[in-house]
Amino acid sequence: MTGPGSGVVIVTGASRGIGAAIALRAAAAGYAVVVNYSNDDAGAAEVVQAITGSGGTAQAVRADVSDRTAVSGLFDAAMGLGPLAAVVNNAGITGNLIGPLVDVPEDTVRRVLDVNVAGLIFVCQEAVRRMGRDHGGSGGSIINISSTATKAGSPGTWAHYAASKGAVDVLTVGLAAEVAAEGIRVNAVAPGSTNTGLHAAAGMPDRVERLNSTIPMGRGAEPGEIAAAVLWLLSGEASYVTGAVLPVAGGR
């Protein structure tokens, strides 16, 4: 198995927010980083420039994770940079709306499930094919980004999104047991309220601040704090950790 901080890591949805923070921290740890994105060319280019400008190795690859063929192409590009060590499944959407489940349009429900569940499954399948010992690989690590929204179900706001992240948690546990013997560890990080553009895109830029009073630590997370948890799970210090869902939520 490729050692911590060596080899290639794919970070999906890495052009901004938590994904960008993970990509930057992974590069600082010594990984070559594939910055995956679906449509934010400028954001992905900025992340790549930040990495290469600091002496790291990075490549932006445009691919919609809900497209199985595009996912295969993403992994082909990553393998061109060197041995694949890890995959971080960060790509996820809310549908850019906030409201009760009864008002969520059908196309939004289907798109959220396509990206957050089907897309994550497609990426996990390809990761196992490329890294699993039964498939000729050397092992590796998969980190899925979940959400603490699964705890309460996000009633009145993002119940559809919370449901998709519940699927992420279940898949993490099941896949971890399936592929442990292949040398692949599978874990999840579940961020709480985090200061990213996700809330503004849904029309509530002050949402994190308004939730501060419900968080024991009194504030939302910064993307780098989520990234730090991901990098710990990728490291050798977490070598006996698999099937875990790690909440990073300030006690909420």
Side-chain angles (χ1 to χ4, degrees), residues 204-216:
M204 297 185 70
D206 63 340
R207 185 168 185 264
V208 174
E209 184 178 351
R210 290 194 295 104
L211 289 173
N212 284 349
S213 62
T214 70
I215 301 169

Side-chain angles (χ1 to χ4, degrees), residues 109-130:
V109 172
R110 293 189 184 280
R111 183 60 181 157
V112 167
L113 294 178
D114 277 349
V115 173
N116 296 6
V117 182
L120 181 135
I121 289 172
F122 295 156
V123 172
C124 284
Q125 288 176 323
E126 201 64 34
V128 173
R129 292 187 187 109
R130 307 289 182 133

Side-chain angles (χ1 to χ4, degrees), residues 211-247:
L211 289 173
N212 284 349
S213 62
T214 70
I215 301 169
M217 290 185 70
R219 64 174 179 85
E222 295 301 325
E225 293 175 303
I226 310 303
V230 170
L231 266 292
W232 177 75
L233 284 170
L234 289 179
S235 77
E237 293 182 348
S239 59
Y240 197 59
V241 180
T242 197
V245 179
L246 174 64

Side-chain angles (χ1 to χ4, degrees), residues 9-212:
V9 58
I10 297 171
V11 184
T12 68
S15 64
R16 57 185 179 270
I18 292 172
I22 293 168
L24 292 169
R25 193 171 286 255
Y31 290 99
V33 183
V34 173
V35 178
N36 164 252
Y37 68 105
S38 62
N39 51 46
D40 185 7
D41 295 300
E46 185 176 341
V47 174
V48 169
Q49 178 57 43
I51 291 172
T52 58
S54 298
T57 299
Q59 177 181 346
V61 179
R62 185 170 187 161
D64 183 339
V65 296
S66 69
D67 181 335
R68 186 188 288 262
T69 300
V71 169
S72 180
L74 167 64
F75 277 78
D76 286 343
M79 300 294 280
L81 288 182
L84 184 62
V87 176
V88 181
N89 258 314
N90 171 74
I93 61 173
T94 65
N96 288 345
L97 57 81
I98 290 179
L101 183 66
V102 69
D103 292 333
V104 181
E106 178 183 350
D107 60 344
T108 298
V109 172
R110 293 189 184 280
R111 183 60 181 157
V112 167
L113 294 178
D114 277 349
V115 173
N116 296 6
V117 182
L120 181 135
I121 289 172
F122 295 156
V123 172
C124 284
Q125 288 176 323
E126 201 64 34
V128 173
R129 292 187 187 109
R130 307 289 182 133
M131 297 191 300
R133 290 173 183 161
D134 290 353
H135 299 269
S138 301
S141 183
I142 298 171
I143 309 294
N144 298 322
I145 303 302
S146 179
S147 171
T148 54
T150 60
K151 289 185 176 181
S154 294
T157 54
W158 286 338
H160 61 294
Y161 170 80
S164 74
K165 292 302 184 176
V168 171
D169 289 357
V170 173
L171 183 86
T172 297
V173 174
L175 184 61
E178 278 191 15
V179 300
E182 292 197 52
I184 300 175
R185 294 186 300 111
V186 185
N187 293 290
V189 169
S193 183
T194 305
N195 289 303
T196 70
L198 189 74
H199 308 278
M204 297 185 70
D206 63 340
R207 185 168 185 264
V208 174
E209 184 178 351
R210 290 194 295 104
L211 289 173
N212 284 349

